Amino acid sequence: MIVDVADGWAVALSSATWALTFALIGWWAARLPLERVERTGPLTRLRPWERGGALWRRHLRVDRWKDKVPEAGAWFGGRSKRHLRSRATGALARFRAETIRAERVHWLSAATTPIHAVWCRPAVFAG
């Protein structure tokens, strides 16, 4: 901790910072040209150990809770991934690009986590 802040204020500050950075990153990503998100990269490609997503379905039970998480894809002009619009090739390619865009937003947002260590005690930061 670099700045001494009471725990309650640290949690509030972290919550506000998280929301702001997530919104800014989401806003920025929604403006990326489609060509920039059509292909996977080092962080977004499916790995063999994920076994086609079976790992996430079996161990994290993603299928049980994914519909309860807010879908923010359309917030800043992007597209919602809640429903597949069509099974046509173009619609599937667009859906894939939007999921890659969302993964990048999540990774970039997670990368801002160390910022919270500036004002959070280690126990609050870890909690």
Side-chain angles (χ1 to χ4, degrees):
M1 176 173 59
I2 297 171
V3 178
D4 189 15
V5 177
D7 290 351
W9 284 108
V11 171
L13 183 57
S14 286
S15 298
T17 301
W18 177 84
L20 180 64
T21 56
F22 208 102
L24 288 172
I25 292 167
W27 176 85
W28 169 78
R31 279 143 185 75
L32 288 174
L34 195 57
E35 305 83 52
R36 296 271 312 269
V37 294
E38 287 179 323
R39 289 188 279 165
T40 60
L43 293 175
T44 57
R45 80 177 56 128
L46 196 59
R47 309 279 190 230
W49 55 266
E50 293 175 280
R51 294 183 302 234
L55 176 102
W56 308 115
R57 286 189 299 277
R58 180 176 300 131
H59 297 290
L60 294 179
R61 307 212 185 268
V62 171
D63 294 341
R64 290 186 182 181
W65 54 262
K66 68 178 180 169
D67 292 333
K68 293 171 179 54
V69 176
E71 166 45 45
W75 285 8
F76 301 109
R79 289 208 180 160
S80 172
K81 295 165 300 305
R82 185 71 70 192
H83 303 287
L84 185 59
R85 294 180 180 204
S86 163
R87 294 190 184 274
T89 303
L92 290 172
R94 179 64 188 259
F95 184 80
R96 180 178 185 270
E98 293 299 333
T99 61
I100 293 168
R101 184 189 315 267
E103 275 298 305
R104 290 184 180 159
V105 167
H106 291 127
W107 278 105
L108 285 169
S109 297
T112 67
T113 300
I115 294 170
H116 304 276
V118 170
W119 55 79
C120 289
R121 291 182 309 111
V124 174
F125 181 78

